[in-house]
Amino acid sequence: MSSTGVIGGVLLLAGGAAILTGLLPMADAVAVLERTWPILLFVVAITVVTELAAEAGLFSAIAERMARLGRGRALVLWLHVVVFAVLGTVFLSLDTTAVLLTPVVVLLARHNGLPPLPFALTTVWLANTGSLLLPVANLTNLLAEHALGFSDPLRFASLMALPALVAVLVPCLAIALVFRRELALRFEPAAPPPPEDRVLFRVSAVVVALIVPGLVSGAPVWIPAVAGALVLLAVFAVRRRRVIRFSLVPWQLVLLAGGLFLVVETAHARGLAAALAGLVGEGGDAGALLRLAGLGAAGANAIDNLPAYLALEPLAEGDPARVAALLVGVNAGPLVTPWASLATLLWHERLVSLGVELSWRRYALLGLLVAPPTVALATLAILL
């Protein structure tokens, strides 16, 4: 079991102990369960879908198509990767971009003789900062949608559209400046390999294409995700059974999220919100929103973005502008420490396995340069 699973198990046991001892009232625990089971079910289902689609070669085929559209220029190819990463994050969640697209774009860069680092850094930064537009992009967004009482994903998108755009543009500008020499290179597009199984490839493409509109239809997001997962599991059971394994289920993330929900709810039951109220302040003016977003970003880099959101959510008071500012802080801010986002840790594991070197020191320094202006400008965009 990885450290994530161990921590999640410990937190879940702590939450169970809080219920048994009365620190967390049973009514509060039941309310947490009712709020979170659809979210966790969606996370499991969409992870299964994206893992199987990646196994079928769907993401690799898209990446190779981008290489041909790049016309031999690294900058043009990188811009296609930016679009790919943003769309993958917005519609299939930040973990899809960090975990599944990272090896795809790294191998794509190497396959065409380009340095992989600017492409790899693009996926992890946009996995975080690009996860503001739709509820399905991030666990925190799904929680915020529930807190706001929004039933239409497009209503959520209308609230977050401008901050989401800013949160994508600022990191991209930073990468374009830092890696301007690497992105000025030219390459000769390599011939892409054909899909190993055309039936699996086509079915995966159709399933993903149908899930995307389902996620913005207004129906509970777990329904299209579960339907897509069941279809792909059935097809893979017939054509490539060896791929179907327990590790497809992100059970470590489920343990971690479930434990965090219970532990933070226990802290709230014991007065956490009152203790933090003086730090957060009130109101929806620029200063108040920047204060809330900044505290969210600091909390995410200190302890992780999910508990940071859960701790501060009651202090957003259900105000759309304040909730949006909190989301900007906890989604676009965790670019400095490795543990600020689980997606970042998973991304780094993939880099290590691919032999791409990026020290945590350099990662943190780059994040310190990019995170503050990203959070500040995206927060100010809320007021527009």
Side-chain angles (χ1 to χ4, degrees):
M1 183 183 294
S2 72
S3 58
T4 302
V6 171
I7 294 171
V10 170
L11 289 173
L12 205 57
L13 289 173
I19 296 172
L20 292 175
T21 58
L23 288 174
L24 177 60
M26 181 58 71
D28 292 351
V30 171
V32 169
L33 177 62
E34 290 176 346
R35 180 186 184 189
T36 57
W37 76 259
I39 295 173
L40 295 179
L41 180 56
F42 165 75
V43 169
V44 169
I46 202 66
T47 300
V48 171
V49 168
T50 52
E51 288 278 0
L52 293 178
E55 175 67 29
L58 177 61
F59 300 139
S60 297
I62 295 172
E64 294 293 348
R65 175 64 177 167
M66 291 190 307
R68 294 197 296 276
L69 293 174
R71 301 178 181 235
R73 299 178 61 187
L75 178 61
V76 178
L77 175 58
W78 174 74
L79 290 173
H80 280 91
V81 169
V82 167
V83 174
F84 191 19
V86 171
L87 292 178
T89 299
V90 167
F91 290 105
L92 299 175
S93 88
L94 76 166
D95 293 328
T96 297
T97 299
V99 177
L100 298 179
L101 297 193
T102 295
V104 169
V105 300
V106 166
L107 294 176
L108 173 68
R110 285 179 169 167
H111 194 49
N112 290 284
L114 298 173
L117 191 54
F119 297 90
L121 194 61
T122 298
T123 60
V124 71
W125 276 1
L126 293 183
N128 288 290
T129 68
S131 65
L132 285 170
L133 185 61
L134 289 180
V136 296
N138 201 321
L139 255 176
T140 54
N141 296 1
L142 290 167
L143 293 168
E145 183 187 36
H146 184 277
L148 290 167
F150 289 178
S151 59
D152 182 359
L154 297 181
R155 186 180 176 191
F156 183 95
S158 68
L159 172 66
M160 301 304 301
L162 194 53
L165 177 62
V166 173
V168 167
L169 292 178
V170 175
C172 287
L173 178 61
I175 291 174
L177 291 173
V178 172
F179 296 99
R180 57 190 179 278
R181 293 180 180 175
E182 291 86 344
L183 296 179
L185 297 174
R186 291 184 172 271
F187 67 95
E188 185 68 32
E196 183 179 339
D197 187 319
R198 293 188 180 277
V199 172
L200 289 179
F201 177 83
R202 289 168 181 165
V203 171
S204 298
V206 170
V207 166
V208 171
L210 291 177
I211 283 178
V212 168
L215 296 178
V216 296
S217 66
V221 292
W222 64 268
I223 294 177
V226 168
L230 291 176
V231 169
L232 287 183
L233 285 170
V235 175
F236 270 84
V238 173
R239 300 191 65 87
R240 200 178 295 177
R241 184 182 296 271
R242 70 179 188 279
V243 173
I244 300 177
R245 55 193 185 278
F246 182 65
S247 60
L248 283 175
V249 177
W251 59 270
Q252 297 177 77
L253 176 58
V254 172
L255 281 179
L256 181 64
L260 284 171
F261 289 140
L262 291 175
V263 169
V264 175
E265 188 64 27
T266 301
H268 279 308
R270 314 318 296 177
L272 176 62
L276 293 174
L279 295 174
V280 175
E282 300 176 346
D285 59 89
L289 296 185
L290 286 170
R291 191 173 176 182
L292 181 55
L295 189 59
N301 284 292
I303 58 173
D304 184 74
N305 65 335
L306 182 56
Y309 173 83
L310 292 170
L312 294 169
E313 182 192 67
L315 301 171
E317 303 161 349
D319 181 323
R322 287 179 64 82
V323 172
L326 176 57
L327 286 177
V328 168
V330 299
N331 288 12
L335 303 181
V336 181
T337 60
W339 55 82
S341 165
L342 179 62
T344 302
L345 290 172
L346 297 173
W347 165 82
H348 192 259
E349 288 180 3
R350 294 299 171 102
L351 281 197
V352 171
S353 68
L354 292 166
V356 179
E357 294 185 7
L358 176 63
S359 69
W360 283 125
R361 180 176 179 274
R362 187 182 182 193
Y363 179 85
L365 289 174
L366 288 171
L368 281 171
L369 292 174
V370 174
T374 301
V375 171
L377 293 174
T379 303
L380 292 175
I382 296 168
L383 297 171
L384 300 178

mmCIF file with all atom_site columns, all heavy atoms in Angstrom, residues 21-38:
data_model
loop_
_atom_site.group_PDB
_atom_site.id
_atom_site.type_symbol
_atom_site.label_atom_id
_atom_site.label_alt_id
_atom_site.label_comp_id
_atom_site.label_asym_id
_atom_site.label_entity_id
_atom_site.label_seq_id
_atom_site.pdbx_PDB_ins_code
_atom_site.Cartn_x
_atom_site.Cartn_y
_atom_site.Cartn_z
_atom_site.occupancy
_atom_site.B_iso_or_equiv
_atom_site.pdbx_formal_charge
_atom_site.auth_seq_id
_atom_site.auth_comp_id
_atom_site.auth_asym_id
_atom_site.auth_atom_id
_atom_site.pdbx_PDB_model_num
ATOM 1   N N   . THR A 1 21 ? -17.177 8.121  19.325 1.00 0.00 ? 21 THR A N   1
ATOM 2   C CA  . THR A 1 21 ? -16.989 8.842  20.590 1.00 0.00 ? 21 THR A CA  1
ATOM 3   C C   . THR A 1 21 ? -17.893 10.064 20.714 1.00 0.00 ? 21 THR A C   1
ATOM 4   O O   . THR A 1 21 ? -17.912 10.719 21.757 1.00 0.00 ? 21 THR A O   1
ATOM 5   C CB  . THR A 1 21 ? -15.519 9.302  20.730 1.00 0.00 ? 21 THR A CB  1
ATOM 6   O OG1 . THR A 1 21 ? -15.192 10.141 19.614 1.00 0.00 ? 21 THR A OG1 1
ATOM 7   C CG2 . THR A 1 21 ? -14.581 8.106  20.776 1.00 0.00 ? 21 THR A CG2 1
ATOM 8   N N   . GLY A 1 22 ? -18.634 10.383 19.645 1.00 0.00 ? 22 GLY A N   1
ATOM 9   C CA  . GLY A 1 22 ? -19.521 11.533 19.706 1.00 0.00 ? 22 GLY A CA  1
ATOM 10  C C   . GLY A 1 22 ? -18.883 12.851 19.326 1.00 0.00 ? 22 GLY A C   1
ATOM 11  O O   . GLY A 1 22 ? -19.561 13.890 19.326 1.00 0.00 ? 22 GLY A O   1
ATOM 12  N N   . LEU A 1 23 ? -17.579 12.848 19.001 1.00 0.00 ? 23 LEU A N   1
ATOM 13  C CA  . LEU A 1 23 ? -16.952 14.091 18.561 1.00 0.00 ? 23 LEU A CA  1
ATOM 14  C C   . LEU A 1 23 ? -17.587 14.591 17.268 1.00 0.00 ? 23 LEU A C   1
ATOM 15  O O   . LEU A 1 23 ? -17.697 15.792 17.031 1.00 0.00 ? 23 LEU A O   1
ATOM 16  C CB  . LEU A 1 23 ? -15.441 13.878 18.351 1.00 0.00 ? 23 LEU A CB  1
ATOM 17  C CG  . LEU A 1 23 ? -14.596 13.707 19.613 1.00 0.00 ? 23 LEU A CG  1
ATOM 18  C CD1 . LEU A 1 23 ? -13.158 13.349 19.232 1.00 0.00 ? 23 LEU A CD1 1
ATOM 19  C CD2 . LEU A 1 23 ? -14.620 14.987 20.447 1.00 0.00 ? 23 LEU A CD2 1
ATOM 20  N N   . LEU A 1 24 ? -17.989 13.644 16.424 1.00 0.00 ? 24 LEU A N   1
ATOM 21  C CA  . LEU A 1 24 ? -18.722 13.978 15.208 1.00 0.00 ? 24 LEU A CA  1
ATOM 22  C C   . LEU A 1 24 ? -20.135 13.425 15.361 1.00 0.00 ? 24 LEU A C   1
ATOM 23  O O   . LEU A 1 24 ? -20.334 12.204 15.354 1.00 0.00 ? 24 LEU A O   1
ATOM 24  C CB  . LEU A 1 24 ? -18.051 13.367 13.975 1.00 0.00 ? 24 LEU A CB  1
ATOM 25  C CG  . LEU A 1 24 ? -18.767 13.587 12.631 1.00 0.00 ? 24 LEU A CG  1
ATOM 26  C CD1 . LEU A 1 24 ? -18.886 15.071 12.309 1.00 0.00 ? 24 LEU A CD1 1
ATOM 27  C CD2 . LEU A 1 24 ? -18.033 12.864 11.501 1.00 0.00 ? 24 LEU A CD2 1
ATOM 28  N N   . PRO A 1 25 ? -21.131 14.280 15.514 1.00 0.00 ? 25 PRO A N   1
ATOM 29  C CA  . PRO A 1 25 ? -22.508 13.800 15.669 1.00 0.00 ? 25 PRO A CA  1
ATOM 30  C C   . PRO A 1 25 ? -22.939 12.931 14.489 1.00 0.00 ? 25 PRO A C   1
ATOM 31  O O   . PRO A 1 25 ? -22.556 13.184 13.339 1.00 0.00 ? 25 PRO A O   1
ATOM 32  C CB  . PRO A 1 25 ? -23.320 15.093 15.738 1.00 0.00 ? 25 PRO A CB  1
ATOM 33  C CG  . PRO A 1 25 ? -22.350 16.123 16.219 1.00 0.00 ? 25 PRO A CG  1
ATOM 34  C CD  . PRO A 1 25 ? -21.029 15.741 15.622 1.00 0.00 ? 25 PRO A CD  1
ATOM 35  N N   . MET A 1 26 ? -23.734 11.918 14.764 1.00 0.00 ? 26 MET A N   1
ATOM 36  C CA  . MET A 1 26 ? -24.157 10.987 13.720 1.00 0.00 ? 26 MET A CA  1
ATOM 37  C C   . MET A 1 26 ? -24.896 11.709 12.600 1.00 0.00 ? 26 MET A C   1
ATOM 38  O O   . MET A 1 26 ? -24.721 11.384 11.419 1.00 0.00 ? 26 MET A O   1
ATOM 39  C CB  . MET A 1 26 ? -25.058 9.906  14.325 1.00 0.00 ? 26 MET A CB  1
ATOM 40  C CG  . MET A 1 26 ? -25.538 8.862  13.323 1.00 0.00 ? 26 MET A CG  1
ATOM 41  S SD  . MET A 1 26 ? -24.160 7.985  12.494 1.00 0.00 ? 26 MET A SD  1
ATOM 42  C CE  . MET A 1 26 ? -23.561 6.992  13.865 1.00 0.00 ? 26 MET A CE  1
ATOM 43  N N   . ALA A 1 27 ? -25.706 12.699 12.941 1.00 0.00 ? 27 ALA A N   1
ATOM 44  C CA  . ALA A 1 27 ? -26.440 13.432 11.908 1.00 0.00 ? 27 ALA A CA  1
ATOM 45  C C   . ALA A 1 27 ? -25.486 14.131 10.942 1.00 0.00 ? 27 ALA A C   1
ATOM 46  O O   . ALA A 1 27 ? -25.722 14.157 9.723  1.00 0.00 ? 27 ALA A O   1
ATOM 47  C CB  . ALA A 1 27 ? -27.371 14.460 12.556 1.00 0.00 ? 27 ALA A CB  1
ATOM 48  N N   . ASP A 1 28 ? -24.386 14.679 11.474 1.00 0.00 ? 28 ASP A N   1
ATOM 49  C CA  . ASP A 1 28 ? -23.393 15.333 10.618 1.00 0.00 ? 28 ASP A CA  1
ATOM 50  C C   . ASP A 1 28 ? -22.692 14.314 9.730  1.00 0.00 ? 28 ASP A C   1
ATOM 51  O O   . ASP A 1 28 ? -22.401 14.587 8.556  1.00 0.00 ? 28 ASP A O   1
ATOM 52  C CB  . ASP A 1 28 ? -22.366 16.088 11.467 1.00 0.00 ? 28 ASP A CB  1
ATOM 53  C CG  . ASP A 1 28 ? -22.979 17.293 12.169 1.00 0.00 ? 28 ASP A CG  1
ATOM 54  O OD1 . ASP A 1 28 ? -24.125 17.634 11.859 1.00 0.00 ? 28 ASP A OD1 1
ATOM 55  O OD2 . ASP A 1 28 ? -22.300 17.877 13.038 1.00 0.00 ? 28 ASP A OD2 1
ATOM 56  N N   . ALA A 1 29 ? -22.389 13.132 10.292 1.00 0.00 ? 29 ALA A N   1
ATOM 57  C CA  . ALA A 1 29 ? -21.726 12.089 9.512  1.00 0.00 ? 29 ALA A CA  1
ATOM 58  C C   . ALA A 1 29 ? -22.618 11.618 8.368  1.00 0.00 ? 29 ALA A C   1
ATOM 59  O O   . ALA A 1 29 ? -22.150 11.403 7.238  1.00 0.00 ? 29 ALA A O   1
ATOM 60  C CB  . ALA A 1 29 ? -21.361 10.916 10.412 1.00 0.00 ? 29 ALA A CB  1
ATOM 61  N N   . VAL A 1 30 ? -23.911 11.462 8.634  1.00 0.00 ? 30 VAL A N   1
ATOM 62  C CA  . VAL A 1 30 ? -24.850 11.040 7.594  1.00 0.00 ? 30 VAL A CA  1
ATOM 63  C C   . VAL A 1 30 ? -24.951 12.119 6.506  1.00 0.00 ? 30 VAL A C   1
ATOM 64  O O   . VAL A 1 30 ? -24.992 11.810 5.310  1.00 0.00 ? 30 VAL A O   1
ATOM 65  C CB  . VAL A 1 30 ? -26.244 10.760 8.208  1.00 0.00 ? 30 VAL A CB  1
ATOM 66  C CG1 . VAL A 1 30 ? -27.277 10.541 7.104  1.00 0.00 ? 30 VAL A CG1 1
ATOM 67  C CG2 . VAL A 1 30 ? -26.181 9.545  9.122  1.00 0.00 ? 30 VAL A CG2 1
ATOM 68  N N   . ALA A 1 31 ? -24.949 13.387 6.910  1.00 0.00 ? 31 ALA A N   1
ATOM 69  C CA  . ALA A 1 31 ? -25.003 14.481 5.936  1.00 0.00 ? 31 ALA A CA  1
ATOM 70  C C   . ALA A 1 31 ? -23.771 14.462 5.035  1.00 0.00 ? 31 ALA A C   1
ATOM 71  O O   . ALA A 1 31 ? -23.869 14.705 3.824  1.00 0.00 ? 31 ALA A O   1
ATOM 72  C CB  . ALA A 1 31 ? -25.111 15.815 6.665  1.00 0.00 ? 31 ALA A CB  1
ATOM 73  N N   . VAL A 1 32 ? -22.600 14.180 5.609  1.00 0.00 ? 32 VAL A N   1
ATOM 74  C CA  . VAL A 1 32 ? -21.371 14.081 4.817  1.00 0.00 ? 32 VAL A CA  1
ATOM 75  C C   . VAL A 1 32 ? -21.477 12.941 3.808  1.00 0.00 ? 32 VAL A C   1
ATOM 76  O O   . VAL A 1 32 ? -21.110 13.089 2.631  1.00 0.00 ? 32 VAL A O   1
ATOM 77  C CB  . VAL A 1 32 ? -20.151 13.871 5.736  1.00 0.00 ? 32 VAL A CB  1
ATOM 78  C CG1 . VAL A 1 32 ? -18.916 13.495 4.919  1.00 0.00 ? 32 VAL A CG1 1
ATOM 79  C CG2 . VAL A 1 32 ? -19.870 15.129 6.543  1.00 0.00 ? 32 VAL A CG2 1
ATOM 80  N N   . LEU A 1 33 ? -21.992 11.796 4.257  1.00 0.00 ? 33 LEU A N   1
ATOM 81  C CA  . LEU A 1 33 ? -22.141 10.651 3.356  1.00 0.00 ? 33 LEU A CA  1
ATOM 82  C C   . LEU A 1 33 ? -23.076 10.975 2.207  1.00 0.00 ? 33 LEU A C   1
ATOM 83  O O   . LEU A 1 33 ? -22.785 10.669 1.042  1.00 0.00 ? 33 LEU A O   1
ATOM 84  C CB  . LEU A 1 33 ? -22.662 9.441  4.135  1.00 0.00 ? 33 LEU A CB  1
ATOM 85  C CG  . LEU A 1 33 ? -22.936 8.172  3.316  1.00 0.00 ? 33 LEU A CG  1
ATOM 86  C CD1 . LEU A 1 33 ? -21.643 7.670  2.673  1.00 0.00 ? 33 LEU A CD1 1
ATOM 87  C CD2 . LEU A 1 33 ? -23.560 7.078  4.181  1.00 0.00 ? 33 LEU A CD2 1
ATOM 88  N N   . GLU A 1 34 ? -24.225 11.599 2.516  1.00 0.00 ? 34 GLU A N   1
ATOM 89  C CA  . GLU A 1 34 ? -25.192 11.935 1.475  1.00 0.00 ? 34 GLU A CA  1
ATOM 90  C C   . GLU A 1 34 ? -24.607 12.920 0.467  1.00 0.00 ? 34 GLU A C   1
ATOM 91  O O   . GLU A 1 34 ? -24.938 12.883 -0.721 1.00 0.00 ? 34 GLU A O   1
ATOM 92  C CB  . GLU A 1 34 ? -26.452 12.529 2.114  1.00 0.00 ? 34 GLU A CB  1
ATOM 93  C CG  . GLU A 1 34 ? -27.270 11.502 2.896  1.00 0.00 ? 34 GLU A CG  1
ATOM 94  C CD  . GLU A 1 34 ? -28.459 12.137 3.598  1.00 0.00 ? 34 GLU A CD  1
ATOM 95  O OE1 . GLU A 1 34 ? -28.490 13.388 3.691  1.00 0.00 ? 34 GLU A OE1 1
ATOM 96  O OE2 . GLU A 1 34 ? -29.340 11.394 4.057  1.00 0.00 ? 34 GLU A OE2 1
ATOM 97  N N   . ARG A 1 35 ? -23.732 13.789 0.934  1.00 0.00 ? 35 ARG A N   1
ATOM 98  C CA  . ARG A 1 35 ? -23.143 14.787 0.050  1.00 0.00 ? 35 ARG A CA  1
ATOM 99  C C   . ARG A 1 35 ? -22.031 14.206 -0.815 1.00 0.00 ? 35 ARG A C   1
ATOM 100 O O   . ARG A 1 35 ? -21.862 14.625 -1.967 1.00 0.00 ? 35 ARG A O   1
ATOM 101 C CB  . ARG A 1 35 ? -22.583 15.933 0.896  1.00 0.00 ? 35 ARG A CB  1
ATOM 102 C CG  . ARG A 1 35 ? -21.931 17.030 0.086  1.00 0.00 ? 35 ARG A CG  1
ATOM 103 C CD  . ARG A 1 35 ? -21.273 18.067 0.973  1.00 0.00 ? 35 ARG A CD  1
ATOM 104 N NE  . ARG A 1 35 ? -20.729 19.167 0.191  1.00 0.00 ? 35 ARG A NE  1
ATOM 105 C CZ  . ARG A 1 35 ? -19.959 20.121 0.670  1.00 0.00 ? 35 ARG A CZ  1
ATOM 106 N NH1 . ARG A 1 35 ? -19.653 20.141 1.954  1.00 0.00 ? 35 ARG A NH1 1
ATOM 107 N NH2 . ARG A 1 35 ? -19.497 21.078 -0.123 1.00 0.00 ? 35 ARG A NH2 1
ATOM 108 N N   . THR A 1 36 ? -21.281 13.243 -0.276 1.00 0.00 ? 36 THR A N   1
ATOM 109 C CA  . THR A 1 36 ? -20.042 12.830 -0.940 1.00 0.00 ? 36 THR A CA  1
ATOM 110 C C   . THR A 1 36 ? -20.134 11.547 -1.750 1.00 0.00 ? 36 THR A C   1
ATOM 111 O O   . THR A 1 36 ? -19.293 11.333 -2.630 1.00 0.00 ? 36 THR A O   1
ATOM 112 C CB  . THR A 1 36 ? -18.916 12.675 0.097  1.00 0.00 ? 36 THR A CB  1
ATOM 113 O OG1 . THR A 1 36 ? -19.308 11.725 1.104  1.00 0.00 ? 36 THR A OG1 1
ATOM 114 C CG2 . THR A 1 36 ? -18.617 14.009 0.774  1.00 0.00 ? 36 THR A CG2 1
ATOM 115 N N   . TRP A 1 37 ? -21.139 10.680 -1.487 1.00 0.00 ? 37 TRP A N   1
ATOM 116 C CA  . TRP A 1 37 ? -21.126 9.416  -2.236 1.00 0.00 ? 37 TRP A CA  1
ATOM 117 C C   . TRP A 1 37 ? -21.241 9.623  -3.749 1.00 0.00 ? 37 TRP A C   1
ATOM 118 O O   . TRP A 1 37 ? -20.566 8.922  -4.520 1.00 0.00 ? 37 TRP A O   1
ATOM 119 C CB  . TRP A 1 37 ? -22.180 8.438  -1.709 1.00 0.00 ? 37 TRP A CB  1
ATOM 120 C CG  . TRP A 1 37 ? -23.614 8.722  -2.103 1.00 0.00 ? 37 TRP A CG  1
ATOM 121 C CD1 . TRP A 1 37 ? -24.570 9.296  -1.347 1.00 0.00 ? 37 TRP A CD1 1
ATOM 122 C CD2 . TRP A 1 37 ? -24.241 8.420  -3.372 1.00 0.00 ? 37 TRP A CD2 1
ATOM 123 N NE1 . TRP A 1 37 ? -25.759 9.405  -2.039 1.00 0.00 ? 37 TRP A NE1 1
ATOM 124 C CE2 . TRP A 1 37 ? -25.588 8.872  -3.280 1.00 0.00 ? 37 TRP A CE2 1
ATOM 125 C CE3 . TRP A 1 37 ? -23.802 7.849  -4.559 1.00 0.00 ? 37 TRP A CE3 1
ATOM 126 C CZ2 . TRP A 1 37 ? -26.493 8.754  -4.330 1.00 0.00 ? 37 TRP A CZ2 1
ATOM 127 C CZ3 . TRP A 1 37 ? -24.705 7.729  -5.604 1.00 0.00 ? 37 TRP A CZ3 1
ATOM 128 C CH2 . TRP A 1 37 ? -26.032 8.166  -5.495 1.00 0.00 ? 37 TRP A CH2 1
ATOM 129 N N   . PRO A 1 38 ? -22.081 10.578 -4.240 1.00 0.00 ? 38 PRO A N   1
ATOM 130 C CA  . PRO A 1 38 ? -22.109 10.741 -5.705 1.00 0.00 ? 38 PRO A CA  1
ATOM 131 C C   . PRO A 1 38 ? -20.783 11.249 -6.260 1.00 0.00 ? 38 PRO A C   1
ATOM 132 O O   . PRO A 1 38 ? -20.386 10.881 -7.370 1.00 0.00 ? 38 PRO A O   1
ATOM 133 C CB  . PRO A 1 38 ? -23.230 11.787 -5.916 1.00 0.00 ? 38 PRO A CB  1
ATOM 134 C CG  . PRO A 1 38 ? -24.015 11.807 -4.657 1.00 0.00 ? 38 PRO A CG  1
ATOM 135 C CD  . PRO A 1 38 ? -23.035 11.493 -3.578 1.00 0.00 ? 38 PRO A CD  1
#
